[in-house]
Amino acid sequence: MEQKELELLKLLERNGRLETEKIAQMIELSTEEVVAMIEKLEAEHAIIGYSTLVNWSNVLEYEGVTAMIDVKVTPVRGVGFDKIASRIYRFPEVKAVYLMSGAYDLSISVEGKTMMEISRFVSDKLSTLDTVISTTTHFVLKKYKHDGIIFDDDDDTDKRIMVSP
Amino acid sequence: MMERGFLAKSVEQLKPSGIRRFFDLASKMENVISLGVGEPDFVTPWNVIEASYHSLEQGYTAYTANAGLLELRQQISKYLNVNYKMDYNPENQVIVTVGASQAIDITLRAILNPGEEVIVVEPCFVSYAPAVTLAGGVPVTVSAEADNEFKIRPEQIQEVITDKTKAIILCSPNNPTGTVLLKEDLEEIAAVIKENNLLLLSDEIYAELSYDDNFVSPASLEGMSERTIVISGFSKAFAMTGWRLGYACGPEDIIAAMTKIHQYTIMCAPTMAQHGALEALQNGEDSVREMKTSYRQRRNFVVKALNDMGLSCHLPGGAFYVFPSIQATGLSSEQFAESLLQEEKVAVVPGNVFGESGEGYIRCSYATSLKQLDESMKRISRFVHKFS
Ligand SMILES: Cc1ncc(COP(=O)(O)O)c(C=O)c1O
């Protein structure tokens, strides 16, 4: 991939709302070229969406819990883990699914309003799937950092003196 | 009894830096966006901080060898060799100092006899001329001109050489102009230096931050390593200004003389900082590359914004400064910087504090968040348009 495409992707990954004009100036392209580049990357599914990172624990009315669940499954001849993964990731409460090396096979992240809701998902939906052998559920107590961004980094003030040589 | 002045004349006569005055003005105000900061906006990479913590936990709280940890000197030597084709023996050609600042000081003190002259190429870092004076020498300034992208012409150096000239100080990538001297530029200058048997102090503190061309050290040119002291450090590329750690490399006899001064006046650079620096050299490459990319992107943004509003500037090849002309406004550098601060709360440094040829220019540091840069460009543009 071209160097400028990589730069563009990294800029957008860090700030999906960065204006096209600004990106253009920063990577020395015209605005039109940047627009075209973004369209191309979208078409190639290198860019698959734009989202906002919300720290829900700072949203007063919001109640919610997240759990990380380790899942052991029996792989199926011909499709390996992909089939069972797709059965799992289609549930809307499932936010992430990864195939893992090591002690278990799939790592999934689930969000719900209450712990009850998540336990119900695990007992009713997840562990009843044919190939699922076992599940281990870990509830998240606090998010410190997500996708490279530190939550509650309250002291990000500029500590430099105002004018220096 | 007659009042007795206790101060040394050399110090009393030293002019306070123009930077200081601006610092005083700006720090009294609130909500100022500062483009006046001569240091990175990044915090030191975490692995470096962690390595320094670890060294303290391990009990490395004592002095090191005068010239610095041998292991660090070995890494410095390797780093300069791999990146810039320089060749220094870590045993006797490298000294670890308290910032590049101290390296400059002890180099000058090691080489100057009273009255010997040192050529200082302006616009430049504010410490050179005072450091020469304090070391008993006489600074002789020459002005790099805007029409040559602030590159000094070899003839200009030749013109000021006398039989008292001992050395010349060059800085590329440059503070405040951002100008990078290319190999061809350096070769022409090196010819004059060799012909006149001068010593070169090459301030390479911004070496890693060269965006368009690979950095070339004059010390790597034919016949120059024996007459060059390379001054560098960790402040800029590794975002370690507050650690106060730098180094100098050069001919054995000069490094030995510098180590003698260092041994009597400093003992050694801070041990915990040296352990951090070791980690920076061993595992800092990715962080430096990332910071460099970010500076380059911001440079492009700022240069375009300034040119668009009529403050013309060349595309500076390195460091994190742009040096636009403000002559279109009809103001002096100081008037411009002062009014901009009062009216729009943006702090920049007037170019004249870096030398006479900086008059008519201002230094803007782009080591500040994109958001702040964007806002400051809007404010400067509004300010400038009052004059057109
Ligand atoms: C050109 C130049 N040389 C030297 C220094 C001093 O660096 P240090 O922090 O290593 O003393 C600076 C810092 O602003 C600089 O800009």
Side-chain angles (χ1 to χ4, degrees):
Chain A
M1 189 173 281
E2 203 203 321
Q3 181 60 33
K4 300 216 171 180
E5 289 184 355
L6 282 176
E7 272 189 58
L8 170 80
L9 288 173
K10 285 193 177 156
L11 286 170
L12 282 178
E13 190 181 33
R14 224 173 302 137
N15 177 5
R17 290 176 47 134
L18 193 58
E19 298 95 318
T20 315
E21 298 75 40
K22 232 177 253 166
I23 297 175
Q25 291 180 23
M26 291 167 83
I27 63 175
E28 296 176 279
L29 290 176
S30 69
T31 309
E32 296 71 39
E33 284 170 313
V34 172
V35 170
M37 194 179 269
I38 291 175
E39 279 169 4
K40 170 174 171 277
L41 290 164
E42 285 171 349
E44 289 169 350
H45 288 267
I47 294 175
I48 50 178
Y50 302 87
S51 67
T52 299
L53 193 56
V54 179
N55 186 355
W56 286 109
S57 56
N58 284 350
V59 181
L60 283 181
E61 297 78 30
Y62 184 84
E63 299 275 341
V65 275
T66 304
M68 310 288 298
I69 308 174
D70 310 339
V71 187
K72 273 191 195 161
V73 299
T74 320
V76 176
R77 184 185 289 264
V79 290
F81 295 98
D82 295 351
K83 184 130 182 275
I84 178 70
S86 87
R87 297 251 335 238
I88 295 173
Y89 64 58
R90 280 169 211 283
F91 287 108
E93 52 269 65
V94 173
K95 298 300 169 188
V97 178
Y98 308 100
L99 178 62
M100 310 296 289
S101 65
Y104 54 94
D105 304 305
L106 297 174
S107 169
I108 76 177
S109 146
V110 178
E111 282 176 17
K113 286 208 176 53
T114 58
M115 281 169 81
M116 267 310 289
E117 198 176 296
I118 289 182
S119 349
R120 225 177 296 125
F121 170 78
V122 175
S123 55
D124 296 357
K125 310 259 170 56
L126 189 61
S127 49
T128 52
L129 288 170
D130 269 357
T131 51
V132 169
I133 303 168
S134 74
T135 63
T136 314
T137 304
H138 315 273
F139 284 99
V140 173
L141 302 181
K142 183 170 179 180
K143 270 191 196 171
Y144 291 101
K145 187 176 183 181
H146 188 82
D147 275 353
I149 296 180
I150 297 174
F151 284 37
D152 284 331
D153 198 1
D154 48 8
D155 189 18
D156 59 355
T157 50
D158 196 338
K159 296 178 186 67
R160 301 174 298 168
I161 56 174
M162 191 88 83
V163 181
S164 56
Chain B
M1 210 160 54
M2 219 171 67
E3 200 183 321
R4 180 172 178 190
F6 286 113
L7 296 180
K9 287 211 173 52
S10 57
V11 178
E12 218 170 12
Q13 285 162 4
L14 218 54
K15 266 199 330 214
S17 157
I19 296 240
R20 183 73 219 175
R21 201 172 74 80
F22 252 80
F23 172 76
D24 292 340
L25 279 177
S27 2
K28 283 196 204 93
M29 296 172 60
E30 272 177 40
N31 301 321
V32 171
I33 298 183
S34 182
L35 307 183
V37 190
E39 56 182 322
D41 61 328
F42 295 101
V43 172
T44 307
W46 178 251
N47 61 319
V48 174
I49 297 176
E50 207 274 335
S52 182
Y53 276 176
H54 185 66
S55 77
L56 290 174
E57 277 167 0
Q58 296 285 304
Y60 287 105
T61 56
Y63 298 128
T64 67
N66 292 131
L69 290 168
L70 180 59
E71 213 185 338
L72 177 57
R73 284 179 280 146
Q74 284 165 340
Q75 282 300 325
I76 291 170
S77 164
K78 187 170 147 201
Y79 179 82
L80 295 180
N81 186 264
V82 170
N83 290 299
Y84 310 121
K85 303 191 195 78
M86 295 186 231
D87 200 4
Y88 291 109
N89 182 347
E91 303 272 354
N92 52 24
Q93 294 193 288
V94 181
I95 177 172
V96 179
T97 57
V98 180
S101 302
Q102 191 222 349
I104 295 166
D105 178 37
I106 58 176
T107 307
L108 293 166
R109 286 201 274 158
I111 62 165
L112 290 178
N113 293 302
E116 284 180 332
E117 295 172 358
V118 177
I119 300 172
V120 174
V121 180
E122 291 178 339
C124 68
F125 183 48
V126 295
S127 306
Y128 300 151
V132 170
T133 307
L134 288 172
V138 179
V140 175
T141 56
V142 280
S143 294
E145 303 291 346
D147 61 13
N148 199 31
E149 295 191 349
F150 291 103
K151 291 179 180 182
I152 192 72
R153 294 190 173 86
E155 317 81 81
Q156 293 179 276
I157 299 173
Q158 187 66 57
E159 274 163 25
V160 295
I161 292 175
T162 69
D163 52 6
K164 293 208 196 78
T165 310
K166 186 76 163 270
I168 173 167
I169 306 178
L170 282 182
C171 175
S172 161
N174 185 270
N175 175 7
T177 62
T179 294
V180 175
L181 298 174
L182 305 179
K183 191 160 185 220
E184 334 41 300
D185 305 317
L186 291 167
E187 266 163 354
E188 288 178 15
I189 297 169
V192 178
I193 291 174
K194 284 187 276 192
E195 203 177 293
N196 293 281
N197 200 11
L198 304 183
L199 183 76
L200 168 64
L201 269 73
S202 179
D203 184 341
E204 306 182 0
I205 190 93
Y206 295 101
E208 291 86 349
L209 305 180
S210 174
Y211 307 116
D212 307 316
D213 302 280
N214 285 332
F215 171 77
V216 177
S217 168
S220 68
L221 302 181
E222 178 75 35
M224 283 303 288
S225 72
E226 59 264 41
R227 55 175 68 255
T228 304
I229 299 288
V230 169
I231 311 265
S232 193
F234 298 89
S235 284
K236 312 293 172 166
F238 296 96
M240 291 175 67
T241 42
W243 297 63
R244 310 308 306 124
L245 208 67
Y247 55 86
C249 303
E252 208 180 312
D253 56 339
I254 301 181
I255 296 296
M258 290 163 66
T259 309
K260 195 151 64 173
I261 303 173
H262 188 71
Q263 158 195 319
Y264 287 128
T265 53
I266 298 279
M267 301 276 284
C268 67
T271 303
M272 56 189 279
Q274 293 191 53
H275 283 279
L278 196 53
E279 171 67 17
L281 291 180
Q282 284 169 329
N283 298 306
E285 203 181 321
D286 289 348
S287 307
V288 171
R289 193 178 320 116
E290 246 174 64
M291 293 190 271
K292 181 177 167 184
T293 302
S294 166
Y295 291 134
R296 177 168 49 74
Q297 291 170 343
R298 288 182 275 173
R299 172 197 69 166
N300 297 339
F301 172 74
V302 168
V303 167
K304 171 104 180 20
L306 288 169
N307 278 312
D308 283 354
M309 71 177 83
L311 298 185
S312 73
C313 54
H314 71 282
L315 185 72
F320 34 64
Y321 309 105
V322 285
F323 205 59
S325 164
I326 46 99
Q327 286 152 24
T329 62
L331 300 177
S332 73
S333 296
E334 301 244 349
Q335 287 166 337
F336 184 98
E338 233 172 290
S339 311
L340 179 66
L341 182 62
Q342 303 294 353
E343 291 172 32
E344 294 289 351
K345 298 197 170 177
V346 175
V348 298
V349 182
N352 62 311
V353 313
F354 304 102
E356 256 169 52
S357 58
E359 179 51 53
Y361 297 81
I362 53 168
R363 187 191 76 174
C364 305
S365 160
Y366 50 84
T368 288
S369 73
L370 189 62
K371 201 167 148 193
Q372 297 262 53
L373 285 175
D374 193 28
E375 173 61 23
S376 64
M377 289 302 129
K378 288 185 183 129
R379 295 189 192 179
I380 297 176
S381 174
R382 194 161 55 205
F383 177 76
V384 167
H385 281 113
K386 293 181 197 160
F387 299 90
S388 59

